[in-house]
Amino acid sequence: MSSMMALGQFVFGLDTLAYQELQRSTEWRHPTNSRVGTRPARQFVGVGEDSITLTGLQVPEFRGNRRSLDDVRAMADAGKAYALVGGTGVVFGAWVIQRVQESGSVFIAEGVARRVDFTLELARVDDYLADPAGGADAGGNPQADDDDFWQWWL
């Protein structure tokens, strides 16, 4: 399976979610100080917001997995940051999932969408916040609480 990009352990591609557009917006902070008779003075105080928006189309009958958006939502529910790595190996740093939007159309009789348009919004955070497991499940019984994971060992 070829990879377009990976967010933690979630791999974007034809078999999961293939995005059609990637928009990145990066800001830098330069607050101003008003001065009489001249332009305001500016001082660089650091990086600002950095965001990525991925938009795409999924046609699960052709390619893709209907559960992929649910997997991304579960990662967002965890509230963790994940490493974002491009398909060529470029590391973009640590990112959190801020928003998942999906729009279904062309429904079959059972109410399942044959076409799903999606938008994912990611925000950059400090690299040390990235989840070292990349969002992968630690194993054990998925029905058990996380606190009970090590009970089998004791």
Side-chain angles (χ1 to χ4, degrees), residues 7-20:
L7 180 63
Q9 295 293 323
F10 184 86
V11 178
F12 291 91
L14 292 177
D15 294 330
T16 55
L17 290 175
Y19 55 87
Q20 294 174 315

Side-chain angles (χ1 to χ4, degrees), residues 83-143:
L84 184 64
V85 181
T88 60
V90 175
V91 178
F92 291 94
W95 297 76
V96 294
I97 302 167
Q98 282 198 306
R99 184 172 177 230
V100 177
Q101 179 180 352
E102 84 181 85
S103 175
S105 61
V106 189
F107 291 91
I108 62 174
E110 290 79 14
V112 178
R114 295 177 64 196
R115 175 188 169 114
V116 178
D117 294 290
F118 66 89
T119 301
L120 305 177
E121 293 179 9
L122 309 175
R124 179 78 192 266
V125 296
D126 292 330
D127 290 342
Y128 74 89
L129 295 172
D131 180 14
D137 186 10
N141 181 357
Q143 303 299 326

Side-chain angles (χ1 to χ4, degrees), residues 1 4 6 20 24 30 33 41-42 44 53 85 108 135 139 152:
M1 173 174 84
M4 297 173 72
Q20 294 174 315
R24 184 172 184 182
H30 295 271
N33 189 6
R42 295 188 176 270
F44 177 70
T53 301
V85 181
I108 62 174
W152 66 272

Side-chain angles (χ1 to χ4, degrees), residues 17-53:
L17 290 175
Y19 55 87
Q20 294 174 315
E21 185 176 354
L22 184 152
Q23 295 179 348
R24 184 172 184 182
S25 175
T26 307
E27 298 176 8
W28 293 268
R29 295 180 295 154
H30 295 271
T32 61
N33 189 6
S34 297
R35 299 185 296 180
V36 176
T38 187
R39 292 188 178 107
R42 295 188 176 270
Q43 180 179 1
F44 177 70
V45 295
V47 296
E49 294 290 325
D50 197 358
S51 64
I52 288 180
T53 301

